[in-house]
């Protein structure tokens, strides 16, 4: 059923003549796009399940949170300015204008001439594309990214990266659109942009603290399977709905999408079996996603037979990239680059080769002259199409990576927007450290969390004893004996080590003392190692500077362990008096604490890295070495 509507627009109050604008709203097309909008929305929580299953249990909820938060933030941004910046038909070749800010003028009339759906339906359908794109990028920084800055990142990135790129590719005024790029359902705006944004995010936040260990085992394969099933279901609407009508081209796109995903899943499983001699459901799910990403730009341009090539090549190349991903130099936790960027890139190039005019003609009336239907790619003799596709890949890749990197570096400069979790928060897991929730509250904590919890209790007891002793001995403890003994056990030379532990007044201390009836907290650990004059050397360990000069480490109560021997600040008491002070040198947890303290890293720049803050807020504060040296000189 369709409705013909005529709109009369008077030029002034006295004008008798009027200009008529006719448009056709088709209820079937509108209903189909509304259905596809719901399907694409479903992909975001499905992605949350997919990512959560691939990650470790202690980080599962944070990934679900990010995928749905992306929908919320982007939808708000899309209402305010995003839709207008992306699809305003009065904008520039680079970006739209303010014509549709706050969705002004977006209603029943179609967005463009020839469309048969209301502009409001088109707006919301495109909003779902924008919502899932930044969520895809978060997979690379999983398990060590802070959640707070993500809200700001989503809004800024969508405005400066996604909206601009989509304007280039899909807006009637965009420069890539008018150049003739073929991207049916989002190879460049979604997969290329999110893939390079993921690389930038992974580079800025750095590698996971246990990156070199075997930490990539999915914690819940059932979640991965469920996420894939829902994403596959939603992806059919993602691609088929891009015809913006319930027509033959939409059905053709749906068929190609399904065939590519099936082919890619089979190829990936066979490749994994050849390598591991196991039939992997993770391989099945990952391969299907790679096939879906690869066919996205070409699903409405290529034949069904060509879609099999898309799935096979996309799966093969992505599988090879994942197999050698450790050579890339960055920690892409959930393989966003290999699956989405490589898949999108391969799909765009293959579209330039296999696009055919007869497929494009499926969305035109049967009486349309052949000369009015655009040529396809190389199969139609259009040899310029692949260079155009490569130009789109290069321009979108450069814009996405550079802008994303700049956005992240600027955000990381603000103390309250540090991108990386503190080391202790990364050990505990993002879910508990930043959300105070666990995906599996009815199950015991994992081994690492259980050890940390046990250590906290033992350290708390020792801190209470040590604080009271520190008050009685003048609020300062010399820990030379303790540290030297620990270093000797490690086979290291303890000479020249000078350690002092200072107490700072705190209203929250649990230690009780009768000295002046005050309470104190152990907070600052000052450590210095003597070095030859005119020496300013430092060694690089794991990309960070391991300083052999005075530094200050700030710890919370739970992080200080092994504080078993207290000596007077001015004079060292006789060795026989040490037996009167509680000793825990034989404690396994004490040695773990000292190992952690002796292997700390210091970052000279503001890049995200191991935290040296006194709280578990996820902030990283660089240490002023000059200030510490001056303090040490004054003490001497």
């Amino acid at each position: 059923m369709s409705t013909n509507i005529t709109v009369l627009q008077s030029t002034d109050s006295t004008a008798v003549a009027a200009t008529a604008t006719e448009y056709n709203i088709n209820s079937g097309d509108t209903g189909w796009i509304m259905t596809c909008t719901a399907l694409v929305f479903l992909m975001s929580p499905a992605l949350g399940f997919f990512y959560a299953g691939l990650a470790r249990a202690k980080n599962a909820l944070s990934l679900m949170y990010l995928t749905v938060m992306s929908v919320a933030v982007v939808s708000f941004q899309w209402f305010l300015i995003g839709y207008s910046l992306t699809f305003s038909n009065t904008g520039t070749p680079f970006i739209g204008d303010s014509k549709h800010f706050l969705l002004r003028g977006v209603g029943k009339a179609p967005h463009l001439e020839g469309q048969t759906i209301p502009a409001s339906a088109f707006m919301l359908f495109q909003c779902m594309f924008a919502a899932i794109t930044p969520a895809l990028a978060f997979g690379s920084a999983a398990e060590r990214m802070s959640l707070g800055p993500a809200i700001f990142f989503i809004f800024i990135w969508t405005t400066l990266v996604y909206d601009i790129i989509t304007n280039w590719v899909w807006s009637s005024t965009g420069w890539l659109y008018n150049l003739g790029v073929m991207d049916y359902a989002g190879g460049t705006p979604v997969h290329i942009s999110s893939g390079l944004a993921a690389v930038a995010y992974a580079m800025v936040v750095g590698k996971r603290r246990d990156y070199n260990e075997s930490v990539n085992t999915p914690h819940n394969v059932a979640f991965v399977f469920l996420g894939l099933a829902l994403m596959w279901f939603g992806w059919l609407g993602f691609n088929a709905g891009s015809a913006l009508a319930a027509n033959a081209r939409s059905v053709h796109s749906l068929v190609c999408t399904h065939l590519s995903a099936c082919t890619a899943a089979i190829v990936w499983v066979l490749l994994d079996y050849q390598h591991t001699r196991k039939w992997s459901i993770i391989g099945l799910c990952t391969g299907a996603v790679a096939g879906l990403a690869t066919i996205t730009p070409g699903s409405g341009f290529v034949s069904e037979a060509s879609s099999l090539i898309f799935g096979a090549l996309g799966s093969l190349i992505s599988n090879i990239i994942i197999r050698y991903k450790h050579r890339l130099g960055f920690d892409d936790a959930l393989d966003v680059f290999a699956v989405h960027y490589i898949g999108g890139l391969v799909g765009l190039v293959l579209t330039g080769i296999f696009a055919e005019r007869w497929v494009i003609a499926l969305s035109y009336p049967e009486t349309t002259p052949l000369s009015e239907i655009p040529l396809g790619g190389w199969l139609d003799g259009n040899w310029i199409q692949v260079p155009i596709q490569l130009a789109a890949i290069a321009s979108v890749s450069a814009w996405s990576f550079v802008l994303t990197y700049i956005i992240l570096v600027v955000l990381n400069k603000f103390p309250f927007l540090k991108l990386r979790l503190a080391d202790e928060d990364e050990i505990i897991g993002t879910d508990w450290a930043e959300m105070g929730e666990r995906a599996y509250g009815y199950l015991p904590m994992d081994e690492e969390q259980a050890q940390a919890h046990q250590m906290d209790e033992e350290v708390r007891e020792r801190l209470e004893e040590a604080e009271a002793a520190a008050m009685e001995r003048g609020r300062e403890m010399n820990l030379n004996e303790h540290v030297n003994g620990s270093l000797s056990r490690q086979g290291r030379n303890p000479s020249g080590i000078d350690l002092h532990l200072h107490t700072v007044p705190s209203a929250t201390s649990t230690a009780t003392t009768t000295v002046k009836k005050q309470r104190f907290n152990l907070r600052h650990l000052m450590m210095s190692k003597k070095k030859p004059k005119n020496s300013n050397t430092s060694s690089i360990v794991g990309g960070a500077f391991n300083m052999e000069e005075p530094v200050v480490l700030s710890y919370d109560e739970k992080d200080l362990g092994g504080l078993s021997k207290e000596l007077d600040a001015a004079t060292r008491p006789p060795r026989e008096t040490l037996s009167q002070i509680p000793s825990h040198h034989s404690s396994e947890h004490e040695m773990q604490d000292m190992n952690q303290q002796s292997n700390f890293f210091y970052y000279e720049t503001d890049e995200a890295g191991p935290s040296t803050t006194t709280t578990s807020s996820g902030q990283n504060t660089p240490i002023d070495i000059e200030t510490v040296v001056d303090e040490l000189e004054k003490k001497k």
Side-chain angles (χ1 to χ4, degrees):
M1 177 180 177
S2 62
T3 303
N4 292 316
I5 299 175
T6 302
V7 179
L8 298 179
Q9 297 176 332
S10 298
T11 56
D12 55 62
S13 58
T14 60
V16 177
T19 60
T21 303
E22 294 188 2
Y23 56 82
N24 178 34
I25 298 297
N26 186 287
S27 58
D29 292 343
T30 303
W32 170 237
I33 297 307
M34 291 171 64
T35 302
C36 289
T37 300
L39 291 174
V40 180
F41 165 79
L42 183 63
M43 292 176 66
S44 290
L47 180 67
F49 274 106
F50 190 83
Y51 277 175
L54 290 173
R56 284 175 281 189
K58 61 185 180 182
N59 303 297
L61 290 183
S62 64
L63 292 165
M64 295 180 176
Y65 164 90
L66 287 170
T67 55
V68 178
M69 178 57 72
S70 181
V71 175
V73 175
V74 171
S75 298
F76 180 68
Q77 187 268 359
W78 203 247
F79 163 77
L80 290 178
I81 59 175
Y83 176 73
S84 184
L85 293 177
T86 306
F87 288 107
S88 172
N89 55 14
T90 57
T92 69
F94 182 79
I95 193 172
D97 56 22
S98 61
K99 177 181 179 180
H100 297 304
F101 277 8
L102 303 179
L103 298 185
R104 290 177 303 173
V106 179
K108 190 172 185 178
H111 170 63
L112 293 176
E113 183 181 353
Q115 292 183 353
T116 58
I117 62 173
S120 54
F122 173 78
M123 178 275 301
L124 193 59
F125 179 66
Q126 292 296 337
C127 177
M128 296 301 106
F129 282 65
I132 197 174
T133 306
L136 290 170
F138 289 136
S140 67
E143 303 191 336
R144 77 271 198 199
M145 64 175 290
S146 182
L147 300 182
I151 298 176
F152 296 91
F153 173 80
I154 293 169
F155 191 98
I156 297 171
W157 188 88
T158 302
T159 303
L160 299 182
V161 179
Y162 180 85
D163 291 352
I164 291 176
I165 290 173
T166 307
N167 177 270
W168 296 353
V169 177
W170 284 341
S171 173
S172 59
T173 61
W175 69 276
L176 284 175
Y177 177 88
N178 290 294
L179 188 64
V181 66
M182 291 183 176
D183 186 351
Y184 186 72
T188 41
V190 178
H191 298 293
I192 294 291
S193 65
S194 66
L196 265 296
V199 173
Y201 219 125
M203 293 175 65
V204 173
V205 300
K207 299 178 180 179
R208 286 167 287 181
R209 57 184 294 278
D210 49 5
Y211 171 71
N212 294 320
E213 303 174 12
S214 180
V215 297
N216 292 315
T217 302
H219 95 277
N220 192 326
V221 179
F223 273 11
V224 178
F225 179 80
L226 175 63
L228 179 275
L230 294 175
M231 277 201 294
W232 196 330
F233 179 60
W235 219 305
L236 298 177
F238 188 94
N239 287 357
S242 294
L244 301 179
N247 56 24
R249 194 176 184 188
S250 177
V251 176
H252 179 88
S253 173
L254 187 148
V255 172
C256 289
T257 300
H258 183 67
L259 289 176
S260 177
C262 294
T263 305
I266 295 170
V267 170
W268 198 293
V269 167
L270 293 176
L271 290 171
D272 276 3
Y273 182 79
Q274 181 187 27
H275 184 66
T276 65
R277 296 300 171 184
K278 301 291 183 182
W279 302 104
S280 170
I281 193 171
I282 294 294
L284 174 74
C285 295
T286 306
V289 173
L292 291 166
T294 304
I295 194 60
T296 293
S299 59
F301 289 107
V302 303
S303 67
E304 294 93 336
S306 297
S307 69
L308 304 181
I309 301 175
F310 276 65
L313 285 180
S315 183
L316 173 64
I317 297 174
S318 295
N319 185 280
I320 294 173
I321 296 296
I322 288 180
R323 192 167 297 180
Y324 296 99
K325 70 176 185 176
H326 286 282
R327 299 185 181 181
L328 297 176
F330 54 86
D331 180 10
D332 183 357
L334 303 182
D335 301 323
V336 181
F337 173 78
V339 174
H340 293 279
Y341 180 78
I342 297 300
L345 185 152
V346 172
L348 284 164
V349 174
L350 293 180
T351 299
I353 298 173
F354 292 99
E356 297 183 70
R357 174 184 273 178
W358 73 266
V359 178
I360 301 173
L362 293 174
S363 61
Y364 287 75
E366 294 183 359
T367 57
T368 303
L370 189 64
S371 59
E372 296 182 10
I373 300 174
L375 284 173
W378 283 5
L379 292 186
D380 285 343
N382 184 16
W383 308 112
I384 195 63
Q385 192 60 49
V386 170
I388 292 175
Q389 301 294 96
L390 293 175
I393 293 170
S395 58
V396 171
S397 297
W399 184 263
S400 177
F401 179 80
V402 173
L403 263 293
T404 304
Y405 197 93
I406 293 174
I407 292 169
L408 292 170
V409 170
V410 172
L411 285 176
N412 202 43
K413 295 292 183 181
F414 294 91
F416 58 93
L417 292 177
K418 292 299 180 181
L419 301 175
R420 180 165 183 139
L421 291 176
D423 269 5
E424 59 269 25
D425 290 347
E426 188 177 344
I427 293 172
I428 295 171
T430 314
D431 294 355
W432 188 247
E434 296 246 303
M435 304 175 69
E437 299 167 332
R438 291 191 179 95
Y440 308 99
Y442 57 89
L443 295 177
M445 293 183 294
D446 61 33
E447 181 179 356
E448 191 173 33
Q449 291 176 332
Q451 290 178 353
H453 181 72
Q454 181 180 0
M455 187 181 298
D456 286 348
E457 296 299 321
E458 295 182 3
V459 169
R460 187 179 304 279
E461 294 178 3
R462 294 202 298 270
L463 280 169
E464 293 177 1
E465 299 174 2
E467 286 184 58
M471 284 297 302
E472 296 173 357
R473 295 181 178 276
R475 298 177 59 189
E476 184 178 28
M477 295 180 294
N478 190 312
L479 303 178
N480 280 346
E481 288 284 19
H482 178 71
V483 175
N484 291 350
S486 297
L487 293 177
S488 296
R489 290 172 183 265
Q490 302 174 34
R492 300 174 58 185
N493 181 12
S495 62
I497 294 292
D498 184 26
L499 243 135
H500 293 280
L501 188 68
H502 298 273
T503 59
V504 178
S506 171
T508 61
S509 174
T510 58
T512 305
T513 177
T514 57
V515 181
K516 298 183 180 180
K517 296 183 178 180
Q518 292 179 337
R519 295 185 176 185
F520 292 86
N521 242 341
L522 298 178
R523 289 294 185 189
H524 299 289
L525 182 64
M526 183 176 293
M527 177 177 178
S528 64
K529 183 171 183 179
K530 296 179 181 178
K531 60 178 182 176
K533 294 182 178 180
N534 302 324
S535 173
N536 189 26
T537 61
S538 63
S539 59
I540 299 178
V541 181
F545 289 90
N546 187 9
M547 308 300 294
E548 293 185 352
E549 57 182 318
V551 298
V552 169
L553 300 179
S554 299
Y555 287 84
D556 197 28
E557 289 180 2
K558 65 180 182 180
D559 298 315
L560 285 171
L563 305 179
S564 59
K565 292 192 175 182
E566 301 82 26
L567 302 175
D568 187 79
T571 61
R572 178 174 299 178
R575 184 168 297 274
E576 54 271 14
T577 63
L578 295 178
S579 61
Q580 303 173 3
I581 302 173
S583 176
H584 303 277
H585 274 305
S586 61
S587 170
E588 177 183 354
H589 295 297
E590 175 192 356
M591 291 306 301
Q592 293 176 358
D593 291 338
M594 293 311 301
N595 287 337
Q596 292 177 5
Q597 293 174 15
S598 61
N599 292 325
F600 72 91
F601 294 126
Y602 163 71
Y603 282 76
E604 282 193 319
T605 69
D606 287 338
E607 297 178 358
S611 173
T612 56
T613 57
T614 58
T615 65
S616 58
S617 62
Q619 312 302 320
N620 299 311
T621 307
I623 299 165
D624 188 350
I625 294 298
E626 298 297 331
T627 302
V628 179
V629 173
D630 293 340
E631 292 179 359
L632 291 174
E633 293 297 332
K634 292 178 181 179
K635 287 182 176 293
K636 294 180 179 179

